[in-house]
Structure formats: C-alpha cells, structure tokens
C-alpha cells in the first residue's frame, strides 16, 4: 500500500519517517550542527548548517508527502511564514517584472509589496473574491493567491486562475496557510508554488514559527532554496523537529477544529447581535460553491462582526476558554479584534476567531455566554 492511497491520518503519522533501523528512534532527534565532517570535494548531502540539515530533510519530506501524495515534490522549510512568502516573491521577481497580489491578503503582504516596488517591480492588486485578479494578468510574471483569504475568508477558484495564468505565461503561487495541506492541495490544483506559514495549523500549538514552500518543478524549487541560502532564513533544528513531531496529530487536530468551526458558524447565524459572518464551509456562505469544489476541509477560522469596538472588547474580555491573541490554527482557541493592528480593511468590531481542539459544547457555551455579556 503506497502513501498516496492512504488516509490523511495514516499519512500524517508516517510522513517523512526514515527507514526503520534497529535500536534507532522512529523519528531521529534534532541534529545541532553548524558544520559536518567534510574531507575532499564538498559533494555530500550535509556540508554546512545554513545549507542543509538532516532534521530539515525529514520535515521537508513529510510536508511534501502531505502536499502532493504520491508525486515528486520538493519542499523547502523556512524560519517563518513570511520568510517563505518572501522567498517566492523575491526569488522570482526582477526589476521590470509585474507581480499580481491580493489586496485583502495577510497584513504583512503590503510590506513585501513595498520591498518589491523599491526593487523596481510593478505590483498590481485586486480582491480575492470574484476571481478579480484575473483582470490583471496581462504581462505579469507571478500571480499570488491567498485562499481562503485572511482575515476576510473570501475564496477564489484556484483552477480557473491557474488556467488563465498559465495560458498567459504567468507563474502561480498559492498561500495555503488557512486551509493547510489537509484542507487544500494547491499543487494538485495546478499551482507552481504551495506556500504556508506553518506557525498556524500545520504545527498547531502556537509555539513555533515556521514556513514552507513546495514545488513540483525542480528549477523553481532551486530558486527558492538558493534564496534561503542567500538570506539565511533557516529554521533551528529544534523547531524543525518539533514541527515534524506535531505533524503526527495534524488530522486529529484539523478534523476537530473544522467540525467545531462549522458548529460555531451555525450557532452564530442564529444570533441577531452578530453580522458579517463568514466561514467557507457554511452552505449559506458566498464562498461555499467554490470552496466545496477545491477544499477538502474548510479551516479553523470563523470571522464575524459585533456592533462596535467596545462590544467586541467586552466579548473578548468575557471569554474564559479563548485567549485574546493573534495568529490562528492552534489547539487552544484564540480570538482577536482584528482592527487593533490597523493593517486590515475591517470594521472596528470585526472578530477573527480561531477554533481550537476544546470540546465543542464547552466552546460554544463559552461563546454564547460571552456574547450575552457583551450586550449593554
């Protein structure tokens, strides 16, 4: 039975493990090494710690097996999600090139845009929803898609955008952070790069910063890997090992989180004090018709609006099982008033809620009680 035919849980617990060796651990411990024994020509797999490390190798193979089961794929791990994002955009774009970004993506994306423009790259932007980026592809080098978008949870049709982009000679990268590779497989949908902040759902414990880029094309992958070497955006061995250890529970975590997220979204639809509710897995959500065609799970994030800043802050303050914290995808539920950062075009009372692995009835009761307490 090959890994490509196995279920997600089986694949997650086996991903990236080396061949069994008598008296050796199933998952070897982290390798802490700046350099390795190296005589003669430096042609071996491990030479210097900024270029290669055996702990990364295991993790990169594991992520690759989850990104595209049964296919040849190369994965490069990075010190953070933004390191992975920057590696794709800055390794591919040259002065005079055109890059198409979403205007409603992750809030650090505008920082990358400024850097690209400083290097003489033309940046065009359009919203994720309605496949609006299609209109901007002419003459572009790279299309960057984020679906579902963070924090607005809009969805675009990856296959449609990829088809149009490739017909125009444009490369496509998909930020898959919110869905994770158990929710959506961008490479199978035709993308050239699948990128994620593994700080979020992939590692899922809110204690590691990590990112990755997966490619099927070895040349594209080589450019990304070269960028990591040049800027040194490398994960520590301990973080890489912890990330690999955390992948074993990926399906357990994601299934619980997605199931509860849908239950939360359904519960919130019944409340008059909640507006602007978004969750791609809710059949009444505008994103649902596309999401159901390209996603296998719909993520742990639910977004909604409360009346104003004060109501939102009273709600967050009244929650007992949910931390008021940024980021998402962790086993402990978190929520935040997103407008406090200033980077997203969201109302003052907008809540981004990340559903954890708590018992659903406990979490839903906590949210209902906190909402009741927030009404003055």
């Amino acid at each position: 039975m090959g890994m490509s035919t196995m279920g997600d849980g089986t694949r997650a617990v086996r991903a990236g493990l080396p061949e069994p060796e008598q008296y050796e651990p199933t998952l070897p411990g982290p390798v802490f090494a700046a350099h390795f024994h190296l005589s003669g020509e430096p042609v071996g797999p491990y030479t210097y710690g900024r270029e290669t490390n055996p702990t990364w190798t295991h993790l990169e193979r594991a992520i690759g097996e989850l990104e595209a089961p049964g296919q040849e794929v190369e994965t490069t791990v990075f010190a953070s999600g933004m390191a992975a994002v920057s590696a794709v955009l800055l390794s591919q774009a040259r002065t005079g090139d055109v890059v198409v970004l979403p205007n409603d993506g992750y809030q650090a994306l505008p920082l990358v845009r400024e850097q690209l423009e400083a290097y003489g790259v033309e940046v065009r932007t359009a919203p994720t929803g309605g496949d609006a980026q299609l209109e901007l592809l002419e003459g572009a080098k790279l299309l960057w898609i984020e679906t579902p978008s963070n924090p607005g949870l809009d969805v675009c049709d990856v296959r449609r955008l990829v088809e149009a982009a490739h017909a125009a000679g444009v490369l496509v990268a998909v930020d898959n952070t919110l869905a994770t590779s158990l929710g959506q497989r961008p490479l199978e949908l035709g993308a050239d790069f699948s990128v994620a902040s593994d700080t979020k759902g992939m590692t899922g414990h809110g204690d590691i910063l990590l990112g990755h880029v997966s490619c099927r094309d070895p040349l594209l992958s080589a450019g990304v890997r070269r960028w990591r070497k040049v800027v040194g955006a490398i994960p520590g061995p301990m973080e890489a090992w912890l990330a690999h250890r955390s992948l074993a529970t990926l399906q357990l975590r994601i299934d619980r989180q997605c199931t509860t997220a849908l239950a939360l979204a359904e519960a919130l639809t019944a409340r008059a004090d909640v507006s602007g509710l978004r969750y791609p897995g809710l059949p009444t959500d505008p994103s649902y018709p596309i999401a159901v065609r390209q996603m296998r799970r719909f993520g742990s994030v639910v977004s909604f609006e409360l009346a104003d800043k004060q109501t939102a802050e009273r709600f967050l303050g009244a929650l007992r099982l949910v931390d008021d914290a940024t980021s998402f995808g962790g086993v402990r539920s978190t929520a935040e008033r997103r407008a406090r950062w200033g980077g997203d075009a969201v109302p003052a009372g907008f809540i981004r809620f990340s559903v954890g692995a708590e018992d659903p009835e406990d979490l839903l009761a906590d949210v209902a009680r906190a909402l009741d307490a927030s009404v003055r």
Side-chain angles (χ1 to χ4, degrees), residues 85 101-102 104-109 127-129 133 143-156 158 161 173-178 184 328:
V85 168
L101 300 179
D104 55 349
Y106 180 56
Q107 65 165 12
L109 212 48
T128 300
Q133 291 168 289
L143 166 65
W144 186 272
I145 298 169
E146 185 179 312
T147 180
S149 63
N150 167 33
L153 302 183
D154 269 327
V155 165
C156 57
V158 177
L161 283 156
V174 176
D175 182 335
N176 200 39
T177 301
L178 206 139
Q184 182 170 263
F328 58 86

Side-chain angles (χ1 to χ4, degrees), residues 33-38 41-53:
H35 52 78
F36 301 81
H37 289 295
L38 185 68
E41 296 301 317
V43 293
Y46 304 109
T47 56
Y48 182 63
R50 180 171 29 79
E51 292 187 40
T52 48
N53 176 294

Side-chain angles (χ1 to χ4, degrees), residues 49-52 56 77-80 83 210 228-229 231-237:
R50 180 171 29 79
E51 292 187 40
T52 48
W56 303 348
V77 289
F78 288 89
S80 68
L210 199 84
R228 182 179 68 180
K229 176 180 175 177
V231 299
I234 57 170

Side-chain angles (χ1 to χ4, degrees), residues 63-73 181 185 187-188 216:
I63 292 172
E65 286 169 19
L66 297 168
E67 282 279 356
Q71 298 183 35
E72 287 296 314
V73 59
S181 51
R185 293 184 187 141
L187 298 179
E188 291 186 357
R216 280 184 305 204

Side-chain angles (χ1 to χ4, degrees), residues 100-304:
V100 180
L101 300 179
N103 65 11
D104 55 349
Y106 180 56
Q107 65 165 12
L109 212 48
L111 300 175
V112 187
R113 175 186 183 165
E114 286 173 24
Q115 194 61 60
L116 287 165
E117 289 174 337
Y119 289 149
V121 175
E122 181 192 333
V123 179
R124 303 171 186 161
T125 66
T128 300
D131 299 340
Q133 291 168 289
L134 278 175
E135 306 301 315
L136 306 178
L137 294 177
E138 191 177 337
K141 171 75 183 289
L142 178 71
L143 166 65
W144 186 272
I145 298 169
E146 185 179 312
T147 180
S149 63
N150 167 33
L153 302 183
D154 269 327
V155 165
C156 57
D157 187 332
V158 177
R159 288 185 189 90
R160 182 183 179 207
L161 283 156
V162 164
E163 194 176 322
H166 285 172
V170 183
L171 293 167
V172 181
V174 176
D175 182 335
N176 200 39
T177 301
L178 206 139
T180 78
S181 51
L182 286 202
Q184 182 170 263
R185 293 184 187 141
L187 298 179
E188 291 186 357
L189 298 170
D192 300 290
F193 304 90
S194 179
V195 189
S197 168
D198 302 313
T199 308
K200 316 296 194 300
M202 281 288 272
T203 59
H205 289 74
D207 53 9
I208 304 168
L209 280 101
L210 199 84
H212 80 267
V213 179
S214 292
C215 306
R216 280 184 305 204
D217 183 335
L219 275 177
L220 293 177
S221 184
V224 169
R225 202 162 278 252
R226 179 181 180 276
W227 181 263
R228 182 179 68 180
K229 176 180 175 177
V230 169
V231 299
I234 57 170
M238 192 69 204
E239 284 79 3
W241 184 86
L242 283 168
H244 197 162
R245 193 275 315 258
S246 299
L247 286 182
T249 58
L250 180 62
Q251 188 239 14
L252 293 171
R253 292 185 281 105
I254 298 289
D255 277 357
R256 165 60 74 92
Q257 289 168 290
C258 292
T259 302
T260 309
L262 179 59
L264 175 64
E266 287 169 344
L268 291 174
T269 56
R271 294 198 62 115
D273 51 349
V274 169
S275 62
L277 174 73
R278 296 301 302 270
Y279 183 66
L282 198 62
T284 52
D285 191 274
S287 289
Y288 183 80
I290 296 172
V292 80
R293 292 204 306 269
Q294 65 190 22
M295 299 181 75
R296 298 155 62 235
R297 294 169 176 85
F298 300 103
S300 61
V301 178
V302 178
S303 67
F304 54 94

